[in-house]
Amino acid sequence: MILNMSGVVLLGVIVFLYCRKDGLKGSHALISGLFGFYLSSTAIAPSIKAGGSSLANLIGGINF
């Protein structure tokens, strides 16, 4: 749950920065959010979640 919330916050900050700095319109952000919402209820959602989890584990395993 913590990973999911931090991912949502991170993506929210990225979208906010794109809106402010790179000219992403609010309507584009809304459409992207709705697309993600509807995508989460499809059959491909478990694969996306597994890919995100694998990426988080990969990033978490990097030692500096």
Side-chain angles (χ1 to χ4, degrees):
M1 181 65 173
I2 294 172
L3 181 62
N4 289 339
M5 287 304 294
S6 62
V8 168
V9 170
L10 175 66
L11 290 174
V13 168
I14 290 170
V15 168
F16 176 76
L17 291 175
Y18 278 151
C19 286
R20 298 287 291 169
K21 301 291 181 186
D22 292 337
L24 178 69
K25 294 181 182 177
S27 60
H28 297 148
L30 179 66
I31 296 296
S32 297
L34 288 173
F35 176 68
F37 177 76
Y38 286 114
L39 187 63
S40 69
S41 64
T42 63
I44 198 170
S47 299
I48 294 171
K49 186 174 182 179
S53 179
S54 296
L55 181 62
N57 288 335
L58 178 70
I59 292 172
I62 296 175
N63 295 324
F64 293 102

